[in-house]
C-alpha cells in the first residue's frame, strides 16, 4: 500500500538523531515566510487603502530579499548556521516592528518602503534544512532523494496553510495580527532551529586560493555553469507560480466567486505536495540532469490543462481538477533541481547556491504576477493561463540549452565532496563562456 510505504520510508528518514527537532523548528520559520505576503496585503489595504502602495512595498521587499538571501547564505557557508541565523533572526525583527509601528502611527509612505527594504535578512531555513539532510545522509543517495522530496512537500504544505492562517488572523482579530504572528513564529522558529547544534553541518576545511583545480573560495557559485542554468530555469518556474496565482484569482473573480480563489490555489499546492511525497518513494533510475529535463517537460504538458479549462470557460470544479493536475509536475522538477544544486556545488557553497536558486524563484514570482495582472486587465479571464504554460516552456528551453552543464561529476563519493568540487570547478571554468552564450540564446 502506498500509505504504508510512505510511513515506512519516512520513518527511516527520521531515524537520524535530531532530524525531527530541526524539521519541526524550521517548519515554524517557513510557515511564517508563507504568511508574510497575504498579511502585508491585508494590513496595507486596510490601514492605507492603496493597492498601489501594497505593490510598491511588496516589490521592494522581494528585490532586496532576492539580493540579501544569497548574502546570508554565503555567511552561513563561511561561519556556520547557528552563528549567522541567530543575529539575522534578531535583526530581522527590528524592521518588521518598525513597519508595523509606521503603519500604526501614520508615518509617510517612504518609511514603509525603507522598512520593507531592510526586512530582507531572513535566513533561508529551507536551504539550511536541506544542507543538514545532505550532511546526515552524505553516503546514502536514496535517503538524500527522499529528504529533498520531503522538504519540497513541506514547502507546499506551508504555502497551503500560511496564507489561510494569515487571512484568518487579519480578519478575525486585527489587520496587524497576521504580520505580528508571522514575525513571532519566524523569529522563534529560527532561534530554535539554530539551537539544534548536533545536526548542524560542520564547516568545510578552508581552501587556499592557490590550490590546484580548486574554485576561488571567495568566488560566487554562479561561476559553475550548471548553477547559472538552474537559476534561470528556476526564475522561469517562479513565473509559472506568480502567473498562476494572479490568473486564478482573476478567473474566480470573473465568475463571481473570488473567495474560492484560495481553495483553487490550495489545490495546486496539494497536487505538488502529494507528488513530492510519492516522488520520494521512487528509486531514481536516471542521473539528476535527465530527470530535471523530464520534470520540466511534464510541467509544460500539465500546464496546458488549466489553459484549456480557462479558454473553454470551465467552471470552478473542472478548473480545480486541472490545477491539481498542474501542480503534480512541480515538485519532481523542484526536488531534482535542488538535488542538482547540491551535487554541482562544493559543500562550502551549499547554502549560498540554494539561496540563489530560491532568489531566482522569488524574482520569477514577482515578474509572473506583474505580467498576469496586466493580461487580466486587458483580456478574457482564461487567457492569462497562457502565461504559466509559456513560462514552463521557457524553463524547458533553458534547461535543454544548458543540459550538458547539468551533468553531475562522476566518481564523487557524495554531494559536495572534494572530488566533485574540483571536477565541477574545473569544468565550470572551461565551459563558462560557452554556457552563457547558449543560455542567453535560449532567452
Amino acid at each position: 500500500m502506498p500509505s504504508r510505504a510512505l510511513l515506512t520510508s519516512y520513518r527511516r528518514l527520521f531515524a537520524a538523531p535530531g532530524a525531527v527537532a530541526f524539521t519541526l523548528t524550521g517548519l515554524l520559520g517557513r510557515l511564517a515566510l508563507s504568511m508574510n505576503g497575504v498579511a502585508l496585503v491585508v494590513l496595507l489595504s486596510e490601514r492605507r487603502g492603496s493597492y498601489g502602495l501594497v505593490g510598491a512595498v511588496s516589490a521592494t521587499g522581494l528585490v532586496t530579499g532576492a539580493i540579501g538571501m544569497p548574502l546570508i547564505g554565503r555567511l552561513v557557508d563561511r561561519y556556520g548556521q547557528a552563528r549567522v541565523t541567530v543575529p539575522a533572526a534578531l535583526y530581522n525583527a527590528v524592521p518588521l516592528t518598525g513597519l508595523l509601528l509606521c503603519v500604526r502611527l501614520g508615518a509617510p509612505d517612504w518609511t514603509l518602503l525603507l522598512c520593507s527594504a531592510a526586512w530582507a535578512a531572513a535566513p533561508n531555513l529551507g536551504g539550511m534544512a536541506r544542507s543538514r539532510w545532505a550532511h546526515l545522509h552524505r553516503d546514502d543517495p536514496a535517503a538524500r532523494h527522499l529528504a529533498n522530496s520531503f522538504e519540497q512537500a513541506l514547502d507546499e504544505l506551508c504555502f497551503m496553510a500560511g496564507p489561510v492562517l494569515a487571512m484568518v488572523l487579519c480578519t478575525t482579530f486585527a489587520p496587524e495580527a497576521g504580520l505580528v504572528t508571522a514575525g513571532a513564529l519566524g523569529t522563534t522558529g529560527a532561534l530554535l532551529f539554530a539551537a539544534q547544534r548536533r545536526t548542524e553541518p560542520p564547516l568545510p576545511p578552508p581552501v587556499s586560493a592557490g590550490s590546484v583545480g580548486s574554485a576561488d573560495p571567495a568566488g560566487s557559485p554562479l561561476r559553475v555553469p550548471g548553477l547559472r542554468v538552474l537559476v534561470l530555469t528556476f526564475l522561469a518556474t517562479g513565473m509559472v507560480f506568480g502567473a498562476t496565482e494572479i490568473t486564478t484569482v482573476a478567473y474566480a473573480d470573473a465568475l463571481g466567486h473570488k473567495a474560492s480563489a484560495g481553495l483553487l490555489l490550495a489545490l495546486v499546492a496539494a497536487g505538488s505536495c502529494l507528488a513530492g511525497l510519492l516522488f520520494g518513494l521512487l528509486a531514481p533510475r536516471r542521473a539528476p540532469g535527465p530527470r530535471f529535463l523530464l520534470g520540466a517537460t511534464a510541467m509544460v504538458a500539465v500546464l496546458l490543462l488549466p489553459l484549456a479549462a480557462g479558454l473553454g470557460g470551465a467552471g470552478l470544479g473542472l478548473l480545480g481538477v486541472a490545477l491539481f493536475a498542474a501542480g503534480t509536475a512541480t515538485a519532481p522538477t523542484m526536488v531534482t533541481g535542488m538535488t542538482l544544486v547540491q551535487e554541482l556545488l562544493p559543500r562550502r557553497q551549499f547554502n549560498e547556491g540554494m539561496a540563489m536558486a530560491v532568489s531566482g524563484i522569488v524574482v520569477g514570482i514577482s515578474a509572473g504576477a506583474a505580467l498576469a495582472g496586466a493580461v487580466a486587465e486587458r483580456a478574457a479571464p482564461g487567457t492569462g493561463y497562457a502565461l504559466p504554460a509559456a513560462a514552463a516552456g521557457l524553463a524547458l528551453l533553458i534547461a535543454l540549452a544548458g543540459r550538458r552543464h547539468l551533468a553531475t561529476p562522476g566518481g564523487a563519493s557524495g554531494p559536495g565532496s572534494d572530488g566533485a568540487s574540483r571536477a565541477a570547478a574545473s569544468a565550470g571554468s572551461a565551459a563558462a563562456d560557452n554556457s552563457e552564450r547558449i543560455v542567453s540564446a535560449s532567452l
Side-chain angles (χ1 to χ4, degrees):
M1 295 292 291
S3 59
R4 182 174 299 177
L6 272 174
L7 291 175
T8 302
S9 297
Y10 286 103
R11 187 183 298 117
R12 179 176 68 86
L13 184 68
F14 285 97
V20 173
F22 82 72
T23 298
L24 292 179
T25 55
L27 187 61
L28 289 178
R30 293 155 77 175
L31 179 63
L33 181 65
S34 68
M35 295 171 61
N36 286 336
V38 170
L40 185 63
V41 169
V42 175
L43 172 63
L44 295 183
S45 61
E46 287 291 326
R47 297 301 188 198
R48 293 298 176 97
S50 171
Y51 282 99
L53 178 62
V54 170
V57 173
S58 298
T60 300
L62 285 173
V63 170
T64 55
I67 297 172
M69 192 178 296
L71 296 178
I72 294 293
R74 171 173 285 205
L75 292 175
V76 169
D77 286 326
R78 183 172 298 179
Y79 300 109
Q81 293 186 1
R83 291 182 63 187
V84 175
T85 300
V86 171
L90 295 176
Y91 160 80
N92 218 43
V94 176
L96 172 59
T97 303
L99 177 67
L100 290 166
L101 289 175
C102 287
V103 172
R104 188 71 177 177
L105 299 175
D109 291 349
W110 64 265
T111 61
L112 306 183
L113 296 173
L114 182 63
C115 290
S116 181
W119 185 26
N124 180 19
L125 296 184
M128 286 191 279
R130 287 176 171 89
S131 180
R132 292 189 182 217
W133 287 121
H135 172 66
L136 287 174
H137 301 289
R138 54 194 175 278
D139 299 321
D140 188 348
R144 291 198 306 272
H145 170 71
L146 188 66
N148 281 334
S149 300
F150 180 74
E151 287 296 320
Q152 186 61 36
L154 282 186
D155 285 341
E156 300 297 344
L157 180 63
C158 287
F159 280 96
M160 279 193 295
V164 175
L165 176 59
M167 183 65 73
V168 169
L169 290 170
C170 290
T171 55
T172 303
F173 298 101
E176 293 83 2
L179 272 186
V180 170
T181 304
L185 287 177
T187 303
T188 302
L191 295 178
L192 291 176
F193 179 89
Q196 312 306 313
R197 300 300 296 268
R198 64 175 172 171
T199 53
E200 179 177 348
L203 290 176
V207 178
S208 61
S211 296
V212 178
S214 66
D216 180 0
S220 169
L222 288 175
R223 291 187 173 194
V224 178
L227 183 63
R228 295 201 292 271
V229 175
L230 287 170
V231 169
L232 288 174
T233 307
F234 281 147
L235 191 150
T237 305
M239 293 176 66
V240 171
F241 301 151
T244 299
E245 181 176 350
I246 298 301
T247 302
T248 300
V249 173
Y251 192 88
D253 191 19
L255 295 182
H257 298 284
K258 187 175 182 179
S260 300
L263 176 60
L264 292 173
L265 293 173
L267 287 173
V268 181
S272 185
C273 180
L274 179 61
L277 290 174
L278 295 177
F279 184 65
L281 301 180
L282 301 178
R285 297 183 180 276
R286 293 182 175 89
R291 292 206 315 269
F292 189 66
L293 292 175
L294 286 174
T297 302
M299 200 161 59
V300 175
V302 296
L303 281 167
L304 295 176
L305 297 176
L307 175 59
L311 293 179
L316 295 184
L318 184 57
L319 178 62
V321 173
L323 289 172
F324 179 88
T328 57
T330 302
T333 307
M334 298 297 296
V335 168
T336 308
M338 288 299 180
T339 299
L340 277 168
V341 172
Q342 294 174 6
E343 296 195 5
L344 288 170
L345 292 179
R347 184 162 56 91
R348 64 181 180 276
Q349 292 183 319
F350 264 20
N351 292 283
E352 186 179 3
M354 284 187 282
M356 286 179 172
V358 174
S359 292
I361 296 171
V362 169
V363 172
I365 290 174
S366 180
L371 288 172
V375 170
E377 290 182 353
R378 296 171 174 81
T383 308
Y385 283 116
L387 288 174
L394 177 61
L396 177 59
L397 287 176
I398 295 171
L400 284 171
R403 62 188 179 276
R404 70 189 186 91
H405 299 300
L406 299 180
T408 53
S413 60
S417 65
D418 292 339
S421 305
R422 288 191 292 270
S426 177
S429 299
D433 294 337
N434 190 42
S435 173
E436 285 187 348
R437 286 196 296 272
I438 291 173
V439 176
S440 298
S442 75
L443 289 171

